[in-house]
Amino acid sequence: MSGIVFFDGVCNLCNAAVRFIIDRDPRAYFRFASLQSEAAAKMIPAECRARAGDSIVLLENEECFATSTAALRIARRLRFPWWLLYAGILIPRFLRDPIYSWIARNRYRWFGKKDSCTLPTPELKGRFL
């Protein structure tokens, strides 16, 4: 069993988040693909993509999660102390999603973006679709 994290491949913040996840995912539970990839186009259900926009998407156990819910479900699979962040799931989505959306709207301005998706290093290539 594993989860697939789809992220904005040109976003510096998103690429840093992927590196953060990899470094704290010792069981290699997560695999990754950019939202701009063919894999994303084929694997993310249309209704989930519509809900997510250009946000992070998590496919896990044939379910699709987006925005703050995806981020929190990812955190719960990371090593201590990061899995404790999953307690944030108790905060209603109507309160946490606007904060997530505010960060997402400003991510290029605050963190910048690349002209193209970052390629994984050879040792991490197997974790990317």
Side-chain angles (χ1 to χ4, degrees), residues 34-69:
S34 75
L35 287 167
Q36 295 87 348
S37 69
E38 266 186 53
K42 291 178 183 176
M43 297 176 76
I44 299 174
E47 66 277 359
C48 185
R49 186 174 281 281
R51 190 173 69 241
D54 62 354
S55 165
I56 191 167
V57 173
L58 172 64
L59 285 180
E60 188 175 43
N61 301 323
E62 299 184 24
E63 287 187 79
C64 185
F65 305 95
T67 63
S68 66
T69 302

mmCIF file of all heavy atoms in Angstrom, residues 34-69:
data_model
loop_
_atom_site.group_PDB
_atom_site.id
_atom_site.type_symbol
_atom_site.label_atom_id
_atom_site.label_comp_id
_atom_site.label_asym_id
_atom_site.label_seq_id
_atom_site.Cartn_x
_atom_site.Cartn_y
_atom_site.Cartn_z
ATOM 1 N N SER A 34 4.361 15.248 -10.697
ATOM 2 C CA SER A 34 3.928 16.640 -10.788
ATOM 3 C C SER A 34 2.502 16.695 -11.338
ATOM 4 O O SER A 34 2.061 15.789 -12.058
ATOM 5 C CB SER A 34 4.877 17.449 -11.674
ATOM 6 O OG SER A 34 4.663 17.144 -13.023
ATOM 7 N N LEU A 35 1.807 17.747 -10.992
ATOM 8 C CA LEU A 35 0.453 17.957 -11.519
ATOM 9 C C LEU A 35 0.479 18.177 -13.029
ATOM 10 O O LEU A 35 -0.527 17.970 -13.698
ATOM 11 C CB LEU A 35 -0.193 19.166 -10.833
ATOM 12 C CG LEU A 35 -0.626 18.948 -9.388
ATOM 13 C CD1 LEU A 35 -0.938 20.277 -8.722
ATOM 14 C CD2 LEU A 35 -1.826 18.021 -9.331
ATOM 15 N N GLN A 36 1.641 18.563 -13.555
ATOM 16 C CA GLN A 36 1.777 18.822 -14.977
ATOM 17 C C GLN A 36 2.087 17.540 -15.767
ATOM 18 O O GLN A 36 2.184 17.576 -16.979
ATOM 19 C CB GLN A 36 2.913 19.841 -15.221
ATOM 20 C CG GLN A 36 2.642 21.212 -14.656
ATOM 21 C CD GLN A 36 3.076 21.375 -13.193
ATOM 22 O OE1 GLN A 36 3.390 20.428 -12.499
ATOM 23 N NE2 GLN A 36 3.050 22.607 -12.721
ATOM 24 N N SER A 37 2.223 16.426 -15.102
ATOM 25 C CA SER A 37 2.651 15.181 -15.746
ATOM 26 C C SER A 37 1.503 14.418 -16.398
ATOM 27 O O SER A 37 0.329 14.633 -16.085
ATOM 28 C CB SER A 37 3.334 14.271 -14.723
ATOM 29 O OG SER A 37 2.387 13.782 -13.790
ATOM 30 N N GLU A 38 1.885 13.503 -17.289
ATOM 31 C CA GLU A 38 0.906 12.587 -17.888
ATOM 32 C C GLU A 38 0.268 11.717 -16.834
ATOM 33 O O GLU A 38 -0.915 11.398 -16.902
ATOM 34 C CB GLU A 38 1.594 11.690 -18.922
ATOM 35 C CG GLU A 38 1.527 12.192 -20.329
ATOM 36 C CD GLU A 38 2.112 11.164 -21.303
ATOM 37 O OE1 GLU A 38 1.685 9.992 -21.282
ATOM 38 O OE2 GLU A 38 2.981 11.578 -22.078
ATOM 39 N N ALA A 39 1.059 11.312 -15.850
ATOM 40 C CA ALA A 39 0.535 10.469 -14.767
ATOM 41 C C ALA A 39 -0.616 11.172 -14.050
ATOM 42 O O ALA A 39 -1.645 10.557 -13.764
ATOM 43 C CB ALA A 39 1.643 10.109 -13.783
ATOM 44 N N ALA A 40 -0.461 12.452 -13.785
ATOM 45 C CA ALA A 40 -1.526 13.212 -13.116
ATOM 46 C C ALA A 40 -2.772 13.264 -13.989
ATOM 47 O O ALA A 40 -3.890 13.069 -13.506
ATOM 48 C CB ALA A 40 -1.044 14.619 -12.782
ATOM 49 N N ALA A 41 -2.576 13.526 -15.283
ATOM 50 C CA ALA A 41 -3.717 13.607 -16.202
ATOM 51 C C ALA A 41 -4.490 12.287 -16.242
ATOM 52 O O ALA A 41 -5.715 12.289 -16.335
ATOM 53 C CB ALA A 41 -3.238 13.985 -17.595
ATOM 54 N N LYS A 42 -3.779 11.179 -16.143
ATOM 55 C CA LYS A 42 -4.423 9.871 -16.215
ATOM 56 C C LYS A 42 -4.992 9.402 -14.884
ATOM 57 O O LYS A 42 -6.015 8.718 -14.853
ATOM 58 C CB LYS A 42 -3.412 8.812 -16.691
ATOM 59 C CG LYS A 42 -2.998 8.965 -18.124
ATOM 60 C CD LYS A 42 -1.971 7.916 -18.495
ATOM 61 C CE LYS A 42 -1.496 8.095 -19.920
ATOM 62 N NZ LYS A 42 -0.431 7.141 -20.263
ATOM 63 N N MET A 43 -4.341 9.754 -13.784
ATOM 64 C CA MET A 43 -4.676 9.148 -12.500
ATOM 65 C C MET A 43 -5.599 9.973 -11.605
ATOM 66 O O MET A 43 -6.315 9.400 -10.786
ATOM 67 C CB MET A 43 -3.386 8.838 -11.733
ATOM 68 C CG MET A 43 -2.504 7.828 -12.447
ATOM 69 S SD MET A 43 -0.944 7.561 -11.602
ATOM 70 C CE MET A 43 -1.500 6.540 -10.239
ATOM 71 N N ILE A 44 -5.573 11.286 -11.729
ATOM 72 C CA ILE A 44 -6.408 12.112 -10.847
ATOM 73 C C ILE A 44 -7.809 12.191 -11.439
ATOM 74 O O ILE A 44 -7.985 12.680 -12.552
ATOM 75 C CB ILE A 44 -5.825 13.525 -10.671
ATOM 76 C CG1 ILE A 44 -4.431 13.452 -10.041
ATOM 77 C CG2 ILE A 44 -6.750 14.372 -9.801
ATOM 78 C CD1 ILE A 44 -3.729 14.798 -9.965
ATOM 79 N N PRO A 45 -8.811 11.723 -10.699
ATOM 80 C CA PRO A 45 -10.188 11.809 -11.203
ATOM 81 C C PRO A 45 -10.596 13.261 -11.467
ATOM 82 O O PRO A 45 -10.162 14.177 -10.763
ATOM 83 C CB PRO A 45 -11.023 11.212 -10.063
ATOM 84 C CG PRO A 45 -10.067 10.428 -9.231
ATOM 85 C CD PRO A 45 -8.732 11.089 -9.387
ATOM 86 N N ALA A 46 -11.414 13.469 -12.472
ATOM 87 C CA ALA A 46 -11.819 14.823 -12.879
ATOM 88 C C ALA A 46 -12.427 15.615 -11.728
ATOM 89 O O ALA A 46 -12.116 16.801 -11.554
ATOM 90 C CB ALA A 46 -12.798 14.740 -14.051
ATOM 91 N N GLU A 47 -13.291 14.981 -10.943
ATOM 92 C CA GLU A 47 -13.932 15.717 -9.844
ATOM 93 C C GLU A 47 -12.914 16.133 -8.786
ATOM 94 O O GLU A 47 -13.035 17.185 -8.179
ATOM 95 C CB GLU A 47 -15.077 14.919 -9.215
ATOM 96 C CG GLU A 47 -14.677 13.652 -8.487
ATOM 97 C CD GLU A 47 -14.490 12.420 -9.368
ATOM 98 O OE1 GLU A 47 -14.689 12.496 -10.592
ATOM 99 O OE2 GLU A 47 -14.140 11.373 -8.820
ATOM 100 N N CYS A 48 -11.890 15.332 -8.593
ATOM 101 C CA CYS A 48 -10.840 15.685 -7.635
ATOM 102 C C CYS A 48 -9.983 16.813 -8.192
ATOM 103 O O CYS A 48 -9.636 17.748 -7.484
ATOM 104 C CB CYS A 48 -9.988 14.469 -7.300
ATOM 105 S SG CYS A 48 -8.771 14.803 -6.007
ATOM 106 N N ARG A 49 -9.641 16.740 -9.460
ATOM 107 C CA ARG A 49 -8.832 17.799 -10.080
ATOM 108 C C ARG A 49 -9.587 19.125 -10.030
ATOM 109 O O ARG A 49 -8.996 20.170 -9.758
ATOM 110 C CB ARG A 49 -8.466 17.467 -11.517
ATOM 111 C CG ARG A 49 -7.515 18.504 -12.097
ATOM 112 C CD ARG A 49 -7.001 18.171 -13.456
ATOM 113 N NE ARG A 49 -5.936 17.209 -13.509
ATOM 114 C CZ ARG A 49 -4.656 17.486 -13.247
ATOM 115 N NH1 ARG A 49 -4.314 18.680 -12.852
ATOM 116 N NH2 ARG A 49 -3.745 16.567 -13.364
ATOM 117 N N ALA A 50 -10.883 19.090 -10.260
ATOM 118 C CA ALA A 50 -11.694 20.319 -10.208
ATOM 119 C C ALA A 50 -11.684 20.903 -8.799
ATOM 120 O O ALA A 50 -11.588 22.113 -8.624
ATOM 121 C CB ALA A 50 -13.118 20.025 -10.657
ATOM 122 N N ARG A 51 -11.754 20.046 -7.806
ATOM 123 C CA ARG A 51 -11.756 20.488 -6.416
ATOM 124 C C ARG A 51 -10.382 21.001 -5.999
ATOM 125 O O ARG A 51 -10.264 21.944 -5.228
ATOM 126 C CB ARG A 51 -12.185 19.306 -5.533
ATOM 127 C CG ARG A 51 -12.468 19.637 -4.106
ATOM 128 C CD ARG A 51 -13.050 18.445 -3.343
ATOM 129 N NE ARG A 51 -12.058 17.383 -3.162
ATOM 130 C CZ ARG A 51 -12.174 16.138 -3.633
ATOM 131 N NH1 ARG A 51 -13.243 15.797 -4.311
ATOM 132 N NH2 ARG A 51 -11.254 15.240 -3.430
ATOM 133 N N ALA A 52 -9.324 20.388 -6.536
ATOM 134 C CA ALA A 52 -7.965 20.703 -6.116
ATOM 135 C C ALA A 52 -7.379 21.908 -6.834
ATOM 136 O O ALA A 52 -6.550 22.617 -6.274
ATOM 137 C CB ALA A 52 -7.066 19.492 -6.354
ATOM 138 N N GLY A 53 -7.769 22.129 -8.087
ATOM 139 C CA GLY A 53 -7.136 23.190 -8.864
ATOM 140 C C GLY A 53 -5.668 22.869 -9.057
ATOM 141 O O GLY A 53 -5.323 21.781 -9.486
ATOM 142 N N ASP A 54 -4.794 23.787 -8.682
ATOM 143 C CA ASP A 54 -3.356 23.533 -8.794
ATOM 144 C C ASP A 54 -2.743 23.248 -7.420
ATOM 145 O O ASP A 54 -1.588 23.499 -7.165
ATOM 146 C CB ASP A 54 -2.647 24.691 -9.486
ATOM 147 C CG ASP A 54 -2.763 25.992 -8.709
ATOM 148 O OD1 ASP A 54 -3.478 26.034 -7.703
ATOM 149 O OD2 ASP A 54 -2.124 26.968 -9.117
ATOM 150 N N SER A 55 -3.561 22.687 -6.544
ATOM 151 C CA SER A 55 -3.165 22.363 -5.184
ATOM 152 C C SER A 55 -2.550 20.969 -5.114
ATOM 153 O O SER A 55 -2.648 20.181 -6.043
ATOM 154 C CB SER A 55 -4.416 22.426 -4.299
ATOM 155 O OG SER A 55 -4.187 21.811 -3.072
ATOM 156 N N ILE A 56 -1.987 20.647 -3.983
ATOM 157 C CA ILE A 56 -1.473 19.311 -3.739
ATOM 158 C C ILE A 56 -2.638 18.316 -3.752
ATOM 159 O O ILE A 56 -3.744 18.632 -3.315
ATOM 160 C CB ILE A 56 -0.721 19.261 -2.392
ATOM 161 C CG1 ILE A 56 0.056 17.960 -2.258
ATOM 162 C CG2 ILE A 56 -1.649 19.460 -1.220
ATOM 163 C CD1 ILE A 56 1.043 17.985 -1.113
ATOM 164 N N VAL A 57 -2.378 17.145 -4.311
ATOM 165 C CA VAL A 57 -3.381 16.088 -4.385
ATOM 166 C C VAL A 57 -2.740 14.811 -3.855
ATOM 167 O O VAL A 57 -1.593 14.515 -4.177
ATOM 168 C CB VAL A 57 -3.871 15.867 -5.835
ATOM 169 C CG1 VAL A 57 -4.780 14.657 -5.938
ATOM 170 C CG2 VAL A 57 -4.584 17.110 -6.350
ATOM 171 N N LEU A 58 -3.477 14.084 -3.056
ATOM 172 C CA LEU A 58 -3.025 12.794 -2.549
ATOM 173 C C LEU A 58 -4.008 11.723 -2.992
ATOM 174 O O LEU A 58 -5.205 11.840 -2.735
ATOM 175 C CB LEU A 58 -2.942 12.817 -1.021
ATOM 176 C CG LEU A 58 -2.661 11.471 -0.334
ATOM 177 C CD1 LEU A 58 -1.273 10.938 -0.714
ATOM 178 C CD2 LEU A 58 -2.797 11.608 1.171
ATOM 179 N N LEU A 59 -3.498 10.709 -3.687
ATOM 180 C CA LEU A 59 -4.288 9.521 -3.988
ATOM 181 C C LEU A 59 -3.843 8.441 -3.017
ATOM 182 O O LEU A 59 -2.652 8.103 -2.959
ATOM 183 C CB LEU A 59 -4.053 9.035 -5.418
ATOM 184 C CG LEU A 59 -4.692 9.831 -6.536
ATOM 185 C CD1 LEU A 59 -4.362 9.200 -7.885
ATOM 186 C CD2 LEU A 59 -6.189 9.917 -6.366
ATOM 187 N N GLU A 60 -4.796 7.934 -2.253
ATOM 188 C CA GLU A 60 -4.486 6.948 -1.227
ATOM 189 C C GLU A 60 -5.656 5.985 -1.109
ATOM 190 O O GLU A 60 -6.789 6.415 -0.908
ATOM 191 C CB GLU A 60 -4.228 7.676 0.099
ATOM 192 C CG GLU A 60 -3.711 6.818 1.200
ATOM 193 C CD GLU A 60 -3.374 7.634 2.437
ATOM 194 O OE1 GLU A 60 -4.161 8.531 2.822
ATOM 195 O OE2 GLU A 60 -2.332 7.364 3.023
ATOM 196 N N ASN A 61 -5.368 4.705 -1.249
ATOM 197 C CA ASN A 61 -6.416 3.688 -1.153
ATOM 198 C C ASN A 61 -7.593 4.008 -2.065
ATOM 199 O O ASN A 61 -8.751 3.926 -1.658
ATOM 200 C CB ASN A 61 -6.893 3.533 0.300
ATOM 201 C CG ASN A 61 -5.774 3.152 1.228
ATOM 202 O OD1 ASN A 61 -4.889 2.383 0.874
ATOM 203 N ND2 ASN A 61 -5.787 3.716 2.418
ATOM 204 N N GLU A 62 -7.291 4.405 -3.282
ATOM 205 C CA GLU A 62 -8.285 4.730 -4.305
ATOM 206 C C GLU A 62 -9.176 5.911 -3.945
ATOM 207 O O GLU A 62 -10.226 6.116 -4.536
ATOM 208 C CB GLU A 62 -9.123 3.499 -4.645
ATOM 209 C CG GLU A 62 -8.282 2.359 -5.212
ATOM 210 C CD GLU A 62 -9.098 1.176 -5.647
ATOM 211 O OE1 GLU A 62 -10.297 1.345 -5.941
ATOM 212 O OE2 GLU A 62 -8.532 0.077 -5.683
ATOM 213 N N GLU A 63 -8.770 6.715 -2.957
ATOM 214 C CA GLU A 63 -9.473 7.943 -2.599
ATOM 215 C C GLU A 63 -8.587 9.119 -2.952
ATOM 216 O O GLU A 63 -7.362 9.033 -2.892
ATOM 217 C CB GLU A 63 -9.789 7.987 -1.100
ATOM 218 C CG GLU A 63 -10.900 7.057 -0.674
ATOM 219 C CD GLU A 63 -11.247 7.295 0.785
ATOM 220 O OE1 GLU A 63 -11.963 8.283 1.071
ATOM 221 O OE2 GLU A 63 -10.797 6.499 1.623
ATOM 222 N N CYS A 64 -9.225 10.228 -3.287
ATOM 223 C CA CYS A 64 -8.507 11.432 -3.674
ATOM 224 C C CYS A 64 -8.742 12.519 -2.622
ATOM 225 O O CYS A 64 -9.881 12.782 -2.234
ATOM 226 C CB CYS A 64 -9.010 11.900 -5.040
ATOM 227 S SG CYS A 64 -8.099 13.297 -5.668
ATOM 228 N N PHE A 65 -7.647 13.125 -2.173
ATOM 229 C CA PHE A 65 -7.707 14.202 -1.189
ATOM 230 C C PHE A 65 -6.953 15.398 -1.739
ATOM 231 O O PHE A 65 -5.955 15.235 -2.438
ATOM 232 C CB PHE A 65 -7.075 13.752 0.130
ATOM 233 C CG PHE A 65 -7.672 12.505 0.685
ATOM 234 C CD1 PHE A 65 -7.088 11.271 0.424
ATOM 235 C CD2 PHE A 65 -8.829 12.544 1.439
ATOM 236 C CE1 PHE A 65 -7.641 10.106 0.910
ATOM 237 C CE2 PHE A 65 -9.394 11.385 1.929
ATOM 238 C CZ PHE A 65 -8.800 10.163 1.670
ATOM 239 N N ALA A 66 -7.429 16.596 -1.415
ATOM 240 C CA ALA A 66 -6.794 17.809 -1.918
ATOM 241 C C ALA A 66 -6.682 18.848 -0.809
ATOM 242 O O ALA A 66 -7.260 18.693 0.265
ATOM 243 C CB ALA A 66 -7.608 18.379 -3.085
ATOM 244 N N THR A 67 -5.931 19.875 -1.084
ATOM 245 C CA THR A 67 -5.707 21.042 -0.230
ATOM 246 C C THR A 67 -5.262 20.622 1.173
ATOM 247 O O THR A 67 -4.398 19.775 1.324
ATOM 248 C CB THR A 67 -6.927 21.990 -0.227
ATOM 249 O OG1 THR A 67 -8.046 21.330 0.312
ATOM 250 C CG2 THR A 67 -7.242 22.498 -1.619
ATOM 251 N N SER A 68 -5.844 21.231 2.214
ATOM 252 C CA SER A 68 -5.369 20.987 3.577
ATOM 253 C C SER A 68 -5.565 19.539 4.008
ATOM 254 O O SER A 68 -4.749 19.002 4.764
ATOM 255 C CB SER A 68 -6.056 21.935 4.566
ATOM 256 O OG SER A 68 -7.440 21.671 4.658
ATOM 257 N N THR A 69 -6.600 18.892 3.527
ATOM 258 C CA THR A 69 -6.831 17.487 3.887
ATOM 259 C C THR A 69 -5.697 16.617 3.350
ATOM 260 O O THR A 69 -5.195 15.738 4.057
ATOM 261 C CB THR A 69 -8.194 16.994 3.367
ATOM 262 O OG1 THR A 69 -9.219 17.841 3.916
ATOM 263 C CG2 THR A 69 -8.452 15.557 3.764
#
